[in-house]
Amino acid sequence: MGESKLKPPAFQFYAGDFLSDLRVTIMTMEERGVYITLLAYAWLEDGLPEDESVLAQLCNNPKNWNRIWDRVKECFTIKSGNMINNRRLVRERRKLLSYKKSMSDAGKKGAEQRWGGNSQAITKPKPSHSSSSEEEDEDTDEEDFADDDSGEV
């Protein structure tokens, strides 16, 4: 399985929760920009390095980095080794991975019930029934479509 399939590319963003969080409400727009940027990196990398100089570089080295980080760091409370993370982001990742696993398990169970473990059950694609098909069924006669009792063909 490729690495891109292991890492979910997106997370749920709950606007109401974001805007009603007191820590976010008191942030300046610059602080919010840094916060959102770091959330995105934390999602992609499953955490952020604790090194503040690296975090500043990820955010294009804002002039007031120390003041900004003093406010934003309150939102990154989970520490694991030399990594930090956002508690809500960790919960959202767990929920998403749990959902994906349950859907995968349900799909496998359905396939097992339908095909009984026969991985060769589908050997060729079924013909398309769309009206844009270029080929018509050669066995079809016009008479087959005259189901009315009028006697006209």
Side-chain angles (χ1 to χ4, degrees):
M1 204 179 234
E3 186 175 325
S4 64
K5 291 193 184 243
L6 296 175
K7 290 185 178 182
F11 60 92
Q12 291 285 328
F13 182 82
Y14 299 92
D17 291 350
F18 180 78
L19 294 174
S20 66
D21 185 321
L22 183 59
R23 291 175 298 186
V24 174
T25 302
I26 63 175
M27 287 181 184
T28 66
M29 284 298 150
E30 187 177 33
E31 291 165 348
R32 287 182 188 190
V34 165
Y35 179 41
I36 290 288
T37 299
L38 292 177
L39 280 177
Y41 279 116
W43 181 260
L44 292 175
E45 302 300 325
D46 200 9
L48 296 167
E50 268 190 302
D51 186 337
E52 289 182 35
S53 64
V54 173
L55 298 176
Q57 289 173 352
L58 291 174
C59 297
N60 295 323
N61 294 310
K63 292 178 186 176
N64 302 320
W65 171 254
N66 290 330
R67 180 192 54 78
I68 293 168
W69 181 240
D70 280 345
R71 177 78 42 91
V72 173
K73 72 182 175 185
E74 295 173 16
C75 299
F76 293 91
T77 57
I78 296 178
K79 293 187 178 186
S80 174
N82 61 348
M83 301 288 282
I84 60 173
N85 215 329
N86 175 275
R87 189 172 309 284
R88 177 70 178 263
L89 215 54
V90 169
R91 255 192 342 261
E92 291 301 319
R93 183 181 305 278
R94 283 187 190 136
K95 263 185 4 186
L96 179 61
L97 293 175
S98 174
Y99 175 76
K100 287 176 73 172
K101 182 178 180 345
S102 69
M103 292 294 99
S104 175
D105 291 347
K108 289 174 185 173
K109 182 179 178 183
E112 177 65 29
Q113 287 177 347
R114 182 169 185 177
W115 304 112
N118 182 0
S119 64
Q120 301 301 317
I122 300 175
T123 57
K124 63 181 179 179
K126 292 181 178 181
S128 171
H129 294 290
S130 82
S131 60
S132 63
S133 177
E134 292 181 18
E135 291 184 18
E136 294 293 327
D137 187 358
E138 294 177 16
D139 295 334
T140 304
D141 288 334
E142 286 183 37
E143 293 174 27
D144 291 340
F145 296 108
D147 288 340
D148 64 298
D149 292 328
S150 67
E152 296 179 22
V153 180

